[in-house]
Amino acid sequence: MKNNKKASPWKSLRVGLIALLCMVVLAYGFQITRVDLQELRSESRQASLIRVIRALAKPDILEHDQVEEVVNLPIYVPCPEDGSIPSGPEQDKSEPYLAVSPTCASPGDVVQVEGFNFAPYTEGPLRFVPGSDPDNIVTLGRDNAETDADGHFIVDMELPNRPSDDVQYIRATLRRNVGAPHLTQTAHDTWDKIVETVFMALLATVFGTMLAIPLSFIAARNLMAPVRSPLASISLSVLGWPIGIVVGYMAVRWVGGLSASIGSTIWINVASVVISPVLIAFGLSWALPQVETTTSPSIQLRLARIGVLILAVLVGFYGLFQLASLAINSGGMLEETLGSFGFVGYFLFQLGDIVAIITPALGALAVGGTLSSVLGRIGQRSSEKMPVSGLKILNIILATVTGATVLGLLGQLVEWMYQIGQPMYTLWIPLSVGGASGFLLALFTKAKDALPIGMVIYYITRTFLNALRSVEALVMAIVFVIAVGIGPFAGVLALGLHTIVSLAKLYSEQVESIMTGPLEAVAATGANRLQTIVYAVVPQIIPPYISYTMYRWDINVRMSTIIGFVGGGGIGFLLQQNINLLNYRGASAQMLAIAVVVATMDYISSVLRERTI
Amino acid sequence: MLQIRNLTKIYEGGVKALDNVSFEVADNQFLAVIGLSGSGKSTLLRCINRLIEPTEGQILWNGEDITAASQDEMRRIRRKIGMVFQHFNLVHRSKVITNVLAGRLGYVNPAWSLVNRFPKEDVEKAILQLQRVGIAEKAYQRADELSGGQQQRVGIARALMQDPEMILADEPVASLDPVLAHSIMTYLEDINKKDGVTVLCSLHFLDLVHRYADRAIALNEGKLVFDGLPEQIDDEKFKEIYGRDAERVG
């Protein structure tokens, strides 16, 4: 014990060695990252650095209209061979004019150029115009002229190496600002793009949040851990998904065809959109009575209710299709008639298009989910009521079929992606392996045991979220640019997907940290799982959800400013273009816009966060 | 009639919270459950409505086996058993009325309740229950704006919304001061006597047991160590229940 207090030589040696090791690592880091200040000292670097910084300091936002006074003065370079000294031209002394001495010189000589009668306090380039054409737009040289209060200037100018027998010219272009300053083209472009950027972030955040919320519930351990079902119920509900998706997709497609054949004139659309919700409301209120009677309803009544529910859902999808058609029709019309508010029509049109595209998917998922939960309940019931031996056989059959189906579908997915073309590997082996593992699972679990399916779903979801979250939005954008083309839509999709996966994780951690008291209180009233979530979980997670959404909104605004670098739209595209064109004043305007927007959004979201919590 | 037969609960990790507990509760009885913290009172009450799954044993209520009930049957059984908690377990950010209406979740159609639609009679009933516990004017305030005593009254109103035939009260007054404790206990007594609801109530203070309970049972380390009238708890019994070193307070 005492030895520990004394500094043993071994211990000091160890500390020394660790310090040495750290130094070596750092030294290697210098080598790898090529730390080199020599480069900074080189004059050409410094000159361009200064130039860029000065350009950045003058963002290209405001400019004046300018008027120019352009005067050409002939000059001979070199002097004519006959030795004659050309006289200056006749010049109108009431107008701005130039004088040069001498009037001819050899290339490389310095001549003195004087200007008279220009507007006072103006400046502009003083250039050598090669060739004998005074209107030639090619000019040489770097000199600048600046007039004094009398509109007079004197500049020493070095003649370039452009000898010619013909007359050449010296041109002074003096510019002065007139009128009030106004926004440059760059500023207008920047404004357009920054608006695009903000809306990219907005859309990505809104859609990302909407999809992240349901995901976050199945990625929360405390909600999923108690979810246990007997094998029969699990198998049936797993089988219900693919069957339901196919049936639902076909049913909704059929409804879509029906809706299209009924007609797409606006009046039919309006009538359908108004009537179908009424029908649905009637159907629902009959089929779903507000209070459950204590006695179970008769079979006939139940079947009738189910029938009415299915009809109501079909009517609902019909209504959705008609709504989409209405939005597309009226949107197209409005876009033409509204003029500068045409974007409302565009919005309606696109919204209708989105609804029309999403509806079949929605229907497929809804029917899949419903069928899965109905079959799951049937499985649950039969597990409770059937004798163990019969149940065992049922379990074995169902689990085998389910395992084969799941792995078979996965195999087909692999086949589709990698095009292996060998059904042996992508169909038969997965089918038999899946069937066998289902069979074994059913064989070795007790027939009535409730299996922790919730945790299985939890782990699958978590893995999926973590995997996708590790892919940066910038990388996703590259994929989406290929899928939907260069532009802000690709950026929205990339940011949206990244928002979904990262928010789902953050949200689910909040769900995991809620107070359990209300949960058990609501469960004790006889509420089912979904009711418990809505009444005990949701109210508790609203504040953290809002705060995380704001946080994500901040991130999305920042990300959307650079996602244009890979073609994802927004201001990044403009910024990158200007940097590549060495137009640093333009780039500076865009950087300024980004800074302003990010700071403003930061401020707004912090204010909102304070308000809501 | 509630019959508990050989009820045992062993938690994961091997802690034996209940050890072969058997007793019966007649309808309309006010039964106090006493014992030290950690003696298994909460576990016992939660096993009765299966918020906690018992490891072994049977719970029969009016002849129906609660321990063997399916999920759907459990929903029907639970809605007849109100529960009141030590920490009230209200949803803080919801309105008082929403918390009270949550008591109807076992009755209403799940599909409608998910979008917060309750039948009109239920809303009226919720106001009536709040009137009964004397805080009808707080109905549209947020639950966490209420004081502790008021929150527990909301908890009682929530249990009453279930039209309960039995109320499980898990130390309903342990986080309240003595004056409030009596007021809350009076409500429970009132529900027991007027509405004929069976009450199982775990309590810490013996004077509350003496004053309100028809009968008491005591648990010590998961075992039933006393079953009788409150008056029968003399100093000897007291030491048996609470241990040799315990002293009576209050």
Side-chain angles (χ1 to χ4, degrees):
Chain A
M1 286 294 119
K2 267 184 192 170
N3 284 355
N4 275 359
K5 291 192 177 167
K6 263 201 281 182
S8 72
W10 166 235
K11 207 169 178 181
S12 344
L13 188 67
R14 206 172 55 178
V15 172
L17 275 177
I18 290 175
L20 194 68
L21 192 70
C22 290
M23 285 302 292
V24 169
V25 169
L26 263 184
Y28 191 61
F30 268 56
Q31 166 78 29
I32 291 279
T33 56
R34 299 197 202 132
V35 175
D36 182 9
L37 292 185
Q38 212 59 44
E39 201 55 25
L40 189 66
R41 292 206 193 96
S42 90
E43 259 182 38
S44 63
R45 287 266 170 213
Q46 283 184 352
S48 33
L49 190 63
I50 289 169
R51 189 164 49 83
V52 170
I53 289 177
R54 283 186 182 154
L56 288 178
K58 276 193 288 184
D60 184 9
I61 296 174
L62 291 177
E63 65 180 2
H64 284 86
D65 279 334
Q66 290 188 316
V67 288
E68 287 181 348
E69 290 174 313
V70 184
V71 179
N72 285 319
L73 180 72
I75 186 169
Y76 285 88
V77 181
C79 288
E81 271 175 25
D82 55 9
S84 65
I85 295 174
S87 58
E90 293 300 311
Q91 282 178 323
D92 184 354
K93 302 274 162 120
S94 60
E95 292 286 306
Y97 68 95
L98 293 175
V100 61
S101 70
T103 51
C104 72
S106 304
D109 285 355
V110 174
V111 294
Q112 192 184 55
V113 183
E114 258 188 291
F116 303 94
N117 283 350
F118 285 93
Y121 303 121
T122 57
E123 63 174 324
L126 185 69
R127 297 289 143 89
F128 182 81
V129 185
S132 55
D133 176 14
D135 296 327
N136 191 355
I137 54 165
V138 177
T139 57
L140 300 171
R142 279 199 168 170
D143 295 293
N144 261 323
E146 214 173 312
T147 59
D148 59 16
D150 303 325
H152 170 253
F153 67 83
I154 301 177
V155 175
D156 287 333
M157 183 177 178
E158 189 185 329
L159 295 174
N161 188 12
R162 274 299 185 94
S164 166
D165 291 339
D166 272 329
V167 66
Q168 301 190 71
Y169 295 91
I170 287 174
R171 180 188 297 162
T173 312
L174 290 190
R175 302 186 178 120
R176 67 167 191 276
N177 298 334
V178 290
H182 58 91
L183 292 171
T184 58
Q185 185 58 39
T186 312
H188 282 291
D189 293 346
T190 305
W191 170 255
D192 285 349
K193 286 289 173 186
I194 203 80
V195 169
E196 190 178 296
T197 305
V198 171
F199 278 94
M200 268 169 65
L202 180 73
L203 285 191
T205 313
V206 168
F207 290 118
T209 307
M210 277 172 11
L211 289 169
I213 290 173
L215 263 184
S216 71
F217 289 132
I218 58 173
R221 180 186 279 269
N222 58 341
L223 293 187
M224 294 310 277
V227 179
R228 303 170 78 94
S229 296
L231 191 57
S233 167
I234 297 173
S235 309
L236 279 173
S237 52
V238 169
L239 280 179
W241 273 107
I243 298 173
I245 285 177
V246 171
V247 171
Y249 186 71
M250 281 175 10
V252 175
R253 284 290 294 271
W254 178 76
V255 173
L258 189 74
S259 159
S261 68
I262 284 180
S264 54
T265 53
I266 280 201
W267 297 117
I268 293 180
N269 289 338
V270 170
S272 309
V273 168
V274 171
I275 291 171
S276 19
V278 177
L279 283 179
I280 296 170
F282 266 119
L284 286 188
S285 59
W286 183 76
L288 297 173
Q290 281 216 326
V291 185
E292 271 184 1
T293 44
T294 33
T295 53
S296 303
S298 67
I299 285 287
Q300 287 94 335
L301 185 62
R302 278 194 179 189
L303 283 180
R305 277 182 178 169
I306 290 174
V308 168
L309 274 184
I310 291 175
L311 266 182
V313 170
L314 288 182
V315 171
F317 282 118
Y318 170 75
L320 273 181
F321 276 116
Q322 287 290 329
L323 186 69
S325 165
L326 173 67
I328 289 174
N329 286 336
S330 56
M333 229 166 60
L334 287 178
E335 203 175 354
E336 283 165 18
T337 51
L338 275 185
S340 65
F341 283 96
F343 68 89
V344 178
Y346 181 77
F347 173 67
L348 270 180
F349 185 91
Q350 294 300 332
L351 219 54
D353 210 26
I354 291 175
V355 172
I357 288 178
I358 288 183
T359 304
L362 210 65
L365 285 181
V367 176
T370 316
L371 194 65
S372 158
S373 79
V374 168
L375 286 180
R377 281 185 76 143
I378 291 175
Q380 180 85 34
R381 287 269 169 81
S382 37
S383 300
E384 281 157 9
K385 305 289 181 229
M386 275 173 78
V388 173
S389 55
L391 187 62
K392 189 92 182 172
I393 294 168
L394 181 74
N395 273 351
I396 288 176
I397 296 171
L398 284 177
T400 309
V401 173
T402 309
T405 312
V406 170
L407 279 204
L409 285 177
L410 278 182
Q412 287 305 295
L413 183 70
V414 171
E415 166 66 31
W416 179 80
M417 275 206 274
Y418 300 102
Q419 297 186 304
I420 296 169
Q422 281 178 305
M424 183 65 197
Y425 292 119
T426 54
L427 186 64
W428 301 117
I429 289 184
L431 274 185
S432 42
V433 169
S437 39
F439 179 79
L440 289 178
L441 186 68
L443 205 60
F444 287 112
T445 50
K446 283 186 195 142
K448 297 216 171 192
D449 264 6
L451 303 178
I453 183 65
M455 288 313 283
V456 174
I457 297 174
Y458 164 82
Y459 279 118
I460 292 176
T461 316
R462 271 288 159 119
T463 313
F464 170 74
L465 290 184
N466 284 338
L468 267 183
R469 211 161 48 96
S470 60
V471 182
E472 261 302 320
L474 218 53
V475 180
M476 288 181 184
I478 296 174
V479 178
F480 282 116
V481 162
I482 296 166
V484 299
I486 289 178
F489 187 45
V492 169
L493 289 179
L495 282 178
L497 183 60
H498 201 254
T499 305
I500 293 172
V501 289
S502 43
L503 270 188
K505 182 162 157 53
L506 289 175
Y507 284 170
S508 65
E509 273 155 19
Q510 287 308 309
V511 174
E512 283 174 2
S513 66
I514 58 169
M515 293 194 300
T516 51
L519 218 62
E520 80 174 335
V522 172
T525 65
N528 65 21
R529 184 161 296 283
L530 221 50
Q531 288 175 317
T532 313
I533 289 179
V534 169
Y535 281 85
V537 179
V538 170
Q540 291 196 57
I541 54 176
I542 285 175
Y545 270 39
I546 289 178
S547 116
Y548 276 125
T549 308
M550 298 278 185
Y551 170 64
R552 191 65 215 177
W553 158 247
D554 280 0
I555 294 180
N556 278 347
V557 170
R558 245 165 287 191
M559 280 302 297
S560 61
T561 58
I562 59 158
I563 210 148
F565 276 52
V566 294
I571 200 165
F573 180 64
L574 213 54
L575 181 59
Q576 189 204 25
Q577 212 176 31
N578 276 332
I579 291 175
N580 286 349
L581 291 173
L582 308 184
N583 178 7
Y584 293 107
R585 287 193 60 200
S588 171
Q590 278 113 43
M591 288 181 200
L592 191 70
I594 290 173
V596 169
V597 164
V598 169
T600 316
M601 293 303 164
D602 256 6
Y603 176 72
I604 292 176
S605 67
S606 74
V607 168
L608 283 181
R609 220 177 307 184
E610 265 172 35
R611 288 262 173 91
T612 48
I613 298 158
Chain B
M1 172 92 111
L2 179 73
Q3 295 161 293
I4 312 284
R5 289 185 188 159
N6 308 93
L7 195 67
T8 299
K9 171 68 191 178
I10 302 170
Y11 283 109
E12 275 174 52
V15 179
K16 212 170 199 180
L18 289 176
D19 190 355
N20 203 13
V21 173
S22 303
F23 62 95
E24 287 182 2
V25 189
D27 285 345
N28 306 345
Q29 202 167 51
F30 197 121
L31 177 80
V33 184
I34 56 175
L36 287 169
S37 298
S39 60
K41 304 187 297 287
S42 294
T43 306
L44 174 65
L45 293 180
R46 279 171 174 72
C47 278
I48 292 173
N49 63 1
R50 272 179 63 193
L51 283 179
I52 291 175
E53 290 290 333
T55 314
E56 265 173 59
Q58 254 191 335
I59 301 166
L60 296 172
W61 190 35
N62 300 333
E64 196 175 4
D65 188 353
I66 293 183
T67 37
S70 71
Q71 280 181 7
D72 285 346
E73 286 160 356
M74 214 44 234
R75 181 173 144 92
R76 284 178 207 281
I77 294 170
R78 273 184 185 165
R79 69 186 188 191
K80 284 287 173 194
I81 305 177
M83 194 153 188
V84 179
F85 300 85
Q86 176 182 358
H87 298 295
F88 328 130
N89 288 1
L90 302 184
V91 181
H92 284 176
R93 290 179 50 85
S94 295
K95 284 182 203 145
V96 167
I97 185 106
T98 314
N99 271 293
V100 176
L101 280 170
R104 289 308 284 180
L105 287 177
Y107 291 90
V108 297
N109 192 309
W112 290 112
S113 69
L114 291 186
V115 287
N116 214 344
R117 300 281 306 160
F118 284 91
K120 225 164 89 189
E121 311 89 76
D122 281 354
V123 181
E124 284 162 9
K125 188 171 170 171
I127 298 287
L128 276 179
Q129 304 297 358
L130 282 173
Q131 270 167 7
R132 181 166 179 185
V133 292
I135 46 170
E137 77 281 0
K138 307 270 186 198
Y140 292 95
Q141 285 187 17
R142 260 173 60 156
D144 57 359
E145 289 169 3
L146 271 55
S147 68
Q150 288 171 332
Q151 290 198 23
Q152 191 59 297
R153 288 194 241 174
V154 177
I156 290 175
R158 175 172 63 191
L160 283 175
M161 282 302 280
Q162 293 176 238
D163 293 328
E165 291 167 18
M166 173 161 70
I167 284 186
L168 307 172
D170 182 19
E171 302 193 6
V173 296
S175 18
L176 301 173
D177 64 52
V179 180
L180 284 172
H182 278 292
S183 118
I184 294 296
M185 289 308 293
T186 317
Y187 285 120
L188 285 178
E189 186 182 36
D190 188 58
I191 293 163
N192 173 248
K193 297 282 179 298
K194 281 206 188 123
D195 305 12
V197 175
T198 314
V199 175
L200 271 72
C201 180
S202 63
L203 285 171
H204 265 311
F205 289 105
L206 274 179
D207 63 334
L208 292 178
V209 178
H210 284 298
R211 183 151 160 198
Y212 295 102
D214 302 332
R215 188 179 139 216
I217 59 170
L219 293 172
N220 191 349
E221 292 183 352
K223 291 192 184 66
L224 192 70
V225 292
F226 175 83
D227 184 347
L229 296 175
E231 299 83 62
Q232 290 171 334
I233 306 174
D234 51 19
D235 282 353
E236 187 53 32
K237 280 280 170 213
F238 180 83
K239 294 231 183 263
E240 224 169 274
I241 298 166
Y242 288 102
R244 287 291 138 202
D245 305 329
E247 272 183 48
R248 292 181 88 139
V249 288

